[in-house]
Amino acid sequence: LLVTGVVLRRGLVFVRCLVLANVYFLAELGGILVSGYLWLRHSGWRRSPSEAYLAANFQLQARWARVIFAGARWSFGLRVQVEGTDQVPPGPVIILGRHASPLDNLVPAVFAAARHRLRLRWVINRWLLRDPCLDIVGNRLPNVFVETGSQEPRGQSARVHALASGLRADEGVLIFPEGALFSPGRLARARAKQAESGAPLPVYRHVLPPRGGAVLAALAALPGADVVVCAHRGLDAAADYRSLLSGGLVGREVLIDFRRIARADVPALPEDQLRWLSGVWAELDAWIDAGAEAPQAE
């Protein structure tokens, strides 16, 4: 009976993953078709795209994210609790997101952009351009695709500065300061590098040390903008495809928390901003640790 239960559970987890995969491919197909329609309707081949064309693509990006996140929520029976969404508007705002799962890329788009009609400009990894919809729509919109470990960090910071400059009250810039998906191996390498440098930084357990380049560039470009931290816990169970297949996400309670930091509480000097960012991430790490042992629903 025990063996049968384990096999059955694994089989059901595989079915859940298959359902999510189908939702993802349908979202991709729908996104590609709609993006083609928008290109034709709004004369997307023109050098200077119209405001209506940009607005339609922003909306498509948000809806695409909502469909995939809803598919994950339904197929895995997630119990999602969201707090602090009223802290997101108004813009311009700088949103800093934790990065522990492929699904958390969608969280700001679903609960900040779609819910509050906030136009988010993304600073995300170039690797995600392998996704057809992100490649098509993401390159139509004012986003910056960066390369982890780039040999030209100043050039990437300059691109982020240009991206964040002149945001309106209905816009924001989204940055994942960790620069890569969290994993124990990456954390161990970051700790070793930290020990070599002798830098007195906090010891993190659930997050990677934040990288300051993009964050400092955005703060410099938007001297009056507040900062919103997008914290979450529970999605760690979907850190990669192997963990998805293990069933750790099934019935998981996911808590998403948006916390706004007034610009007056952000230091003015870059070196002080780096220490401030490390402190913010230390608080995030402690918050995650406080709920790390939350039991999985049966």
Side-chain angles (χ1 to χ4, degrees):
L1 288 176
L2 179 60
V3 173
T4 302
V6 171
V7 172
L8 182 61
R9 178 177 173 81
R10 288 180 179 271
L12 289 176
V13 170
F14 178 76
V15 171
R16 291 175 186 270
C17 291
L18 191 60
V19 169
L20 178 57
N22 277 280
V23 171
Y24 170 75
F25 285 119
L26 287 173
E28 287 293 305
L29 177 60
I32 292 171
L33 292 175
V34 173
S35 68
Y37 166 74
L38 295 177
W39 187 78
L40 291 173
R41 179 183 178 184
H42 297 282
S43 302
W45 58 85
R46 294 178 178 173
R47 291 187 178 182
S48 300
S50 67
E51 174 63 23
Y53 182 59
L54 290 175
N57 278 280
F58 270 118
Q59 189 175 42
L60 174 58
Q61 179 177 261
R63 287 184 175 179
W64 172 84
R66 289 178 67 179
V67 168
I68 296 176
F69 192 84
R73 188 173 186 172
W74 177 75
S75 59
F76 285 91
L78 301 181
R79 296 174 295 152
V80 181
Q81 180 181 348
V82 186
E83 299 178 353
T85 56
D86 59 321
Q87 300 288 309
V88 176
V93 67
I94 301 168
I95 299 181
L96 306 181
R98 181 196 178 198
H99 197 24
S101 164
L103 289 176
D104 63 26
N105 284 313
L106 307 174
V107 169
V110 173
F111 298 103
R115 183 169 293 188
H116 297 287
R117 296 184 179 179
L118 185 71
R119 293 187 175 188
L120 280 184
R121 303 183 177 192
W122 294 40
V123 180
I124 49 178
N125 199 307
R126 286 187 58 84
W127 187 89
L128 291 175
L129 288 175
R130 299 181 183 186
D131 182 290
C133 276
L134 279 176
D135 190 9
I136 296 171
V137 179
N139 279 305
R140 291 177 180 177
L141 298 173
N143 299 315
V144 166
F145 294 91
V146 297
E147 185 176 352
T148 302
S150 170
Q151 300 301 315
E152 298 181 354
R154 291 185 179 180
Q156 293 196 149
S157 294
R159 291 169 61 206
V160 174
H161 187 281
L163 178 76
S165 298
L167 292 188
R168 306 180 315 197
D170 63 342
E171 293 182 313
V173 60
L174 170 64
I175 301 171
F176 294 93
E178 292 162 90
L181 193 65
F182 174 87
S183 71
R186 285 196 176 103
L187 179 59
R189 290 191 292 273
R191 284 177 174 173
K193 189 174 181 179
Q194 176 182 333
E196 290 177 3
S197 67
L201 296 175
V203 177
Y204 306 104
R205 297 180 58 189
H206 307 283
V207 298
L208 298 177
R211 303 180 181 186
V215 178
L216 266 60
L219 289 171
L222 295 168
D226 290 348
V227 176
V228 173
V229 177
C230 177
H232 65 81
R233 60 188 184 214
L235 291 177
D236 316 62
D240 52 33
Y241 300 111
R242 181 179 299 178
S243 58
L244 268 179
L245 289 170
S246 71
L249 194 63
V250 177
R252 179 69 61 175
E253 182 175 347
V254 177
L255 178 58
I256 299 168
D257 186 28
F258 290 90
R259 311 168 185 179
R260 193 175 185 107
I261 302 173
R263 189 51 183 267
D265 296 327
V266 179
L269 298 177
E271 56 269 27
D272 294 331
Q273 290 173 348
L274 286 174
R275 286 190 288 270
W276 165 82
L277 180 60
S278 295
V280 170
W281 237 241
E283 292 177 2
L284 172 60
D285 189 70
W287 179 80
I288 298 166
D289 194 55
E293 300 303 322
Q296 178 182 342
E298 295 295 334

